[in-house]
Amino acid sequence: MKIIHSIPEMQQEALEQKKQGKVVGLVPTMGYFHEGHTSLMQIGREQADYLVISLFVNPLQFGPSEDFDTYPRDFERDKKLARKYEADCIFNPSRKDMYPASPLTRVKVHKLDRYLCGRSRPGHFEGVTTIVAKLYNIILPDLAIFGLKDYQQYIIIKQMTEELHYPIKVIAGPTIREEDGLAMSSRNKNLSSEERQAAPLLYRGLQNARQQFLNGEKDVEKLLNTLRDSLHQSPLYRIDYLAVVDGQKLYPKKHAQRGDVIAAAVFLGKTRLIDKIILE
Ligand code: PAF
């Protein structure tokens, strides 16, 4: 497995692979791998001839009071896991090379970033789409794989890829959960043991709300109250948002229908958790 830090070297390597007719796959990550990441690597390994894992904690997608500094990092462990899942290459650029200065060129997908995390984290998705566009331009992938746990991110990146005419197939990977239902996330490491114990209430609440929907309840306030009741079983939760949104356009709904998504962002202590469930 190659480890490439330099942007021109990565571009050269990608061009070389494509010249040989290889299908190049990309799994973009910010590292600190868990089974959510390795499941994306497995999809990439099955569908691509040459699999690149990018590993870069992207400062542009963190707000000034967010957790860029405490975001977990462990490059040695990540290297071992990428090797185990048979990646061909890790692309790990430096911050200085990716952003020699605060970038004047940024990619923004309008409208889809108005709701959910876009509302509570202004500038976040612009940071994500800017870095993903840069990674596309450097790695020239034929396919790129993103986890559905970050549902809004997936929808926004799909839109950007289509509208900027990148010849790239965007593939969605499933949300991978711990046995008690907590969606895997690098940030889970920052939960205290008390917070970790309370964390499954989020998914349980989403499941209860979905069940209520399947039993015939369409009123969004009632569905969200069910989710709230679950979170209120612990005093540790601070709610950022709870919403039912259209599954494609992401605008908030008053009456739920199949294909909509119940989405939540909460804080347990300083750790922000997001999760969602699709009404299907
Ligand atoms: O999902 C993530 O880890 C990041 O948002 C991504 C897509 C790697 C961009 O920095």
Side-chain angles (χ1 to χ4, degrees):
M1 183 181 74
K2 282 196 176 172
I3 296 174
I4 298 181
H5 300 288
S6 131
I7 293 174
E9 200 185 314
M10 184 70 245
Q11 265 167 335
Q12 208 40 53
E13 173 74 10
L15 281 170
E16 194 50 52
Q17 298 301 328
K18 289 174 86 77
K19 235 193 272 165
Q20 291 174 26
K22 299 222 178 120
V23 172
V24 175
L26 167 65
V27 177
T29 81
M30 298 204 298
Y32 209 75
F33 297 154
H34 50 70
E35 283 168 45
H37 296 109
T38 56
S39 77
L40 303 182
M41 293 178 201
Q42 276 172 314
I43 297 173
R45 191 59 288 164
E46 279 160 21
Q47 303 210 20
D49 302 313
Y50 187 82
L51 179 61
V52 182
I53 315 296
S54 68
L55 198 166
F56 179 67
V57 185
N58 172 34
L60 209 63
Q61 69 188 72
F62 289 80
S65 58
E66 292 184 354
D67 57 349
F68 176 75
D69 289 331
T70 54
Y71 195 85
R73 293 159 169 89
D74 190 341
F75 190 52
E76 289 309 312
R77 183 174 155 276
D78 286 347
K79 265 197 300 200
K80 282 191 198 131
L81 276 168
R83 199 170 279 129
K84 179 167 166 206
Y85 284 85
E86 298 176 12
D88 294 295
C89 170
I90 289 187
F91 175 54
N92 174 232
S94 70
R95 178 176 180 164
K96 190 168 78 12
D97 286 346
M98 280 310 244
Y99 300 116
S102 177
L104 302 182
T105 308
R106 298 177 188 225
V107 179
K108 179 174 168 65
V109 174
H110 292 266
K111 284 199 177 171
L112 296 177
D113 70 349
R114 275 190 199 159
Y115 313 107
L116 308 176
C117 292
R119 173 168 289 177
S120 25
R121 302 183 69 189
H124 167 69
F125 286 114
E126 194 174 302
V128 170
T129 39
T130 300
I131 192 70
V132 171
K134 278 165 159 294
L135 292 169
Y136 281 178
N137 294 334
I138 296 165
I139 298 163
L140 314 169
D142 299 289
L143 51 96
I145 307 142
F146 298 88
L148 272 183
K149 170 176 170 285
D150 298 312
Y151 187 80
Q152 187 173 18
Q153 167 172 288
Y154 165 72
I155 294 285
I156 287 177
I157 288 173
K158 208 155 59 89
Q159 186 75 22
M160 176 197 78
T161 309
E162 278 166 28
E163 287 192 328
L164 293 185
H165 307 288
Y166 282 109
I168 298 171
K169 182 173 160 200
V170 176
I171 299 174
T175 303
I176 306 294
R177 298 182 181 280
E178 303 283 357
E179 265 178 30
D180 59 13
L182 174 64
M184 291 201 187
S185 160
S186 306
R187 289 189 168 97
N188 293 351
K189 175 188 180 284
N190 293 338
L191 295 169
S192 69
S193 62
E194 223 189 340
E195 290 160 358
R196 177 62 189 82
Q197 257 187 326
L201 290 172
L202 174 56
Y203 186 53
R204 214 169 297 154
L206 288 167
Q207 283 178 307
N208 293 346
R210 178 171 62 181
Q211 194 51 53
Q212 194 183 11
F213 169 79
L214 295 175
N215 293 343
E217 183 59 69
K218 305 285 183 279
D219 184 329
V220 161
E221 254 331 292
K222 292 195 176 136
L223 300 175
L224 297 183
N225 278 338
T226 298
L227 172 52
R228 243 174 240 119
D229 286 347
S230 177
L231 299 175
H232 286 158
Q233 286 174 45
S234 161
L236 299 177
Y237 276 97
R238 187 159 57 81
I239 294 173
D240 178 356
Y241 66 73
L242 309 178
V244 175
V245 296
D246 179 86
Q248 295 306 313
K249 303 283 177 210
L250 304 180
Y251 57 81
K253 305 285 293 278
K254 285 203 169 95
H255 299 282
Q257 62 187 66
R258 272 179 196 270
D260 289 347
V261 172
I262 312 181
V266 296
F267 284 94
L268 274 174
K270 287 194 174 132
T271 307
R272 187 170 182 276
L273 301 180
I274 58 169
D275 205 348
K276 56 96 201 42
I277 207 162
I278 301 177
L279 295 175
E280 55 187 6

